[in-house]
Amino acid sequence: LPIYIYMLTYILPTFLLITLATYVILHNNRAVENRLIFVLLMMFCVTLVGEFLRHVSPFSFNPRIVVYVVGFSTSIAMAIVFHLQFILLKQHCPITIHPLVPFLGYLFISLHAIITLFFVKLSVADFYQSGIWTYRENMLYNLWLYGIVGVTSITSFFPCCIQARYFKKRCSSLESN
């Protein structure tokens, strides 16, 4: 019975994301933002499959699955979100952005590699099972991984505000004409 719950929780959304990613890339595969969205959705699929594997595999594999599959796919996804927001901002707002700024998000991936290789070591003792679910309780690693998501979310907020302010000015100028 737990395998069916895991499949419903992780594999069904994976198939839905793959379908959405296929639609996006087939719609216009030449557009940079479509390619970024495609890779972003695929990274979320890798994260979901990693979590599925973490739950169905023996406890001894949990640290490696979390660090190498879930951790890296999450940091790649957040880097792509960072990149995508600046691509969209550059396309829709009349502001100049240095060409290297969208690539700053990819520093998360190298930071994740450095932190997980040298500072935060996950072991089997960092995981516990409650019912059918397996949890990790390494505070430093959780802080780091949730920190990546938090920093990306916060930095995503400011370009969205710039874009919203631009659209508001644009709409008000159209209304006055």
Side-chain angles (χ1 to χ4, degrees):
L1 184 66
I3 190 80
Y4 296 115
I5 295 172
Y6 298 147
M7 289 174 70
L8 187 65
T9 306
Y10 298 115
I11 302 301
L12 181 64
T14 301
F15 284 129
L16 293 173
L17 288 175
I18 288 171
T19 304
L20 183 61
T22 305
Y23 175 77
V24 166
I25 201 67
L26 290 178
H27 184 68
N28 184 1
N29 64 352
R30 293 185 189 264
V32 175
E33 60 273 12
N34 282 24
R35 285 187 255 156
L36 285 172
I37 291 170
F38 174 78
V39 175
L40 176 67
L41 292 171
M42 288 293 119
M43 286 298 105
F44 285 137
C45 289
V46 170
T47 302
L48 287 170
V49 169
E51 287 292 334
F52 174 77
L53 292 174
R54 184 170 71 90
H55 281 85
V56 297
S57 64
F59 249 48
S60 60
F61 291 111
N62 278 351
R64 282 176 258 156
I65 291 172
V66 165
V67 170
Y68 299 120
V69 178
V70 176
F72 276 106
S73 62
T74 302
S75 58
I76 291 170
M78 291 302 105
I80 291 170
V81 166
F82 192 80
H83 189 163
L84 183 63
Q85 72 181 355
F86 281 103
I87 294 293
L88 294 174
L89 188 65
K90 186 177 176 183
Q91 285 179 354
H92 298 292
C93 293
I95 61 173
T96 57
I97 297 173
H98 192 278
L100 295 178
V101 169
F103 296 98
L104 288 176
Y106 294 99
L107 290 175
F108 289 138
I109 302 165
S110 54
L111 282 174
H112 180 75
I114 291 168
I115 286 177
T116 55
L117 290 175
F118 299 113
F119 298 109
V120 179
K121 301 283 186 187
L122 288 178
S123 68
V124 177
D126 293 325
F127 295 88
Y128 69 95
Q129 190 158 7
S130 176
I132 62 169
W133 303 105
T134 305
Y135 299 98
R136 65 177 171 268
E137 58 181 4
N138 186 312
M139 185 63 119
L140 287 175
Y141 187 79
N142 287 344
L143 240 119
W144 164 245
L145 205 54
Y146 297 140
I148 290 174
V149 175
V151 166
T152 306
S153 300
I154 289 169
T155 56
S156 297
F157 178 72
F158 295 111
C160 289
C161 288
I162 293 169
Q163 196 169 2
R165 183 175 294 153
Y166 169 71
F167 283 129
K168 186 176 180 183
K169 285 181 186 177
R170 187 173 168 196
C171 289
S172 63
S173 68
L174 289 174
E175 288 174 359
S176 63
N177 289 335

